[in-house]
Amino acid sequence: MARMIDGKAISAQIKDELKEKVAAMKAEGVEVTLAVIQVGSDPASSVYVGNKKKACGYIGIGSLAYELPEETSEQELLDLIEELNGRKDVNGILVQLPLPKHIDEDKVIAAIHPDKDVDGFHPQSVGKLCIGQPGFVSCTPAGIIQLLKRSGIEIAGKECVVIGRSNIVGKPMALLLLRENGTVTVSHSKTENLKEVARRADILVAAVGRPKMITRDYVKEGAVVIDVGIHRNENNKLCGDVDFEDVASVCSAITPVPGGVGPMTIAMLMNNCVESVKLQAK
Ligand code: NDP
């Protein structure tokens, strides 16, 4: 049976480390503040926003909540971002996605000042990641790197296969694995012989958005399997992109859902908030 990679425990450890850092910063008179903007009242988004506020409270990061009505115009949102960009007492700005259809997400992401882009979605942050310069990194893939490192899993020289190429998970994941000297393959819906490609992996990251699609046929014996997916099954229970029971019998280590990648995303958002203070001080 595979070793479980415990994202809950690792994220708790990171949050405790950050709590100490933030306390030390406070002792020197430096505060950290995150502004979280939600447009509309999508229930899943409300849960995510609530969890982010809770994490801020635990670590000692100040949080400003902007809960805007569904009918907020794109211009009103851009004006708010502009105001927050200019405020010295706001270090990070996060706009909860998805936004209502009448608002252009790309325009909104690009409006956030790159030094406050704690989600790591701004084109400048993505570009810096691509050319190997320091900057904010999308939280979910950054969290996966921490999961691997803190579990003692070597990335350098390993065959890494990422299934999925979205801008927030698949692509930055591939770039980060490459930065860690992995040999990286990115696969997607047009990939031929996906099972064969996936079976090359020493480290397989499933970010495909399809419940339990990844069965043991996709996994080389002894591989490490990271499951990014989050879905509710027919019994309203959470499951991932990986068929956990089936895959756990062939792989060497695996992240569960829930309790794997999910908690790491918020921990890394908190880390980015703390880092933003350093970036702004420069
Ligand atoms: P997207 O839907 O944006 O991307 C899915 C990717 O998977 C696409 O690149 C798509 O390929 C590829 N894909 C879809 N079907 C197949 C298939 N049959 N075979 C091979 N590739 C396929 O999803 P996200 O990247 O945003 O998210 C992925 C999953 O991770 C979701 O379940 C999401 O809920 C979860 N998630 C979890 C987070 C967490 O904190 N744990 C954070 C973010 C996401 P193509 O590009 O060709 O269409």
Side-chain angles (χ1 to χ4, degrees):
M1 188 67 181
R3 168 161 71 110
M4 195 85 85
I5 300 176
D6 188 346
K8 218 169 149 187
I10 296 172
S11 66
Q13 192 185 31
I14 292 174
K15 282 194 269 185
D16 284 338
E17 291 165 12
L18 290 171
K19 192 174 178 170
E20 272 183 35
K21 267 194 199 169
V22 169
M25 287 161 85
K26 274 195 183 154
E28 307 224 317
V30 180
E31 296 280 339
V32 189
T33 303
L34 170 68
V36 180
I37 307 173
Q38 183 181 358
V39 185
S41 53
D42 171 59
S45 291
S46 301
V47 172
Y48 293 138
V49 166
N51 288 341
K52 286 165 189 171
K53 283 192 224 157
K54 209 165 116 192
C56 282
Y58 178 76
I59 293 166
I61 294 175
S63 64
L64 299 175
Y66 294 86
E67 285 155 18
L68 309 180
E70 181 84 22
E71 55 283 3
T72 302
S73 70
E74 184 178 281
Q75 194 54 51
E76 284 169 321
L77 180 56
L78 293 173
D79 289 345
L80 173 60
I81 292 171
E82 183 71 35
E83 181 204 320
L84 295 170
N85 279 342
R87 273 176 62 172
K88 288 213 158 46
D89 61 330
V90 172
N91 308 100
I93 303 172
L94 182 147
V95 179
Q96 185 63 45
L97 303 178
L99 288 168
K101 296 234 171 331
H102 64 276
I103 300 179
D104 181 345
E105 276 184 7
D106 289 343
K107 214 167 166 184
V108 169
I109 290 169
I112 296 171
H113 192 289
D115 288 353
K116 299 192 177 188
D117 172 39
V118 285
D119 251 341
F121 296 163
H122 191 284
Q124 186 171 309
S125 306
V126 178
K128 282 188 166 176
L129 173 62
C130 207
I131 59 173
Q133 287 183 3
F136 292 115
V137 176
S138 177
C139 302
T140 303
I144 292 169
I145 296 293
Q146 284 300 313
L147 277 182
L148 293 170
K149 285 189 169 174
R150 289 176 186 243
S151 303
I153 294 163
E154 182 77 29
I155 303 171
K158 301 292 179 212
E159 287 280 349
C160 306
V161 176
V162 181
I163 311 183
R165 57 172 165 181
S166 71
N167 289 340
I168 60 166
V169 188
K171 282 183 199 148
M173 184 75 255
L175 289 166
L176 282 177
L177 289 165
L178 190 60
R179 190 163 88 179
E180 297 296 332
N181 298 315
T183 302
V184 184
T185 303
V186 186
S187 58
H188 45 78
S189 67
K190 306 290 185 293
T191 298
E192 287 181 8
N193 304 321
L194 182 61
K195 286 183 185 172
E196 242 169 71
V197 171
R199 275 202 304 267
R200 292 208 298 255
D202 300 309
I203 299 173
L204 179 66
V205 180
V208 70
R210 304 203 180 265
K212 293 192 173 185
M213 179 181 131
I214 308 304
T215 55
R216 61 194 302 161
D217 311 347
Y218 290 79
V219 181
K220 175 169 82 177
E221 196 168 341
V224 171
V225 178
I226 304 292
D227 188 356
V228 187
I230 308 178
H231 315 274
R232 289 216 175 260
N233 70 11
E234 55 288 357
N235 305 319
N236 207 30
K237 271 184 74 180
L238 287 174
C239 71
D241 289 345
V242 175
D243 184 337
F244 183 88
E245 280 76 26
D246 193 37
V247 168
S249 59
V250 292
C251 66
S252 62
I254 186 166
T255 57
V257 178
V261 173
M264 295 301 292
T265 300
I266 291 195
M268 297 319 288
L269 171 68
M270 298 295 109
N271 183 63
N272 280 353
C273 291
V274 173
E275 290 298 312
S276 69
V277 177
K278 283 189 211 154
L279 204 67
Q280 287 149 27
K282 275 186 190 160

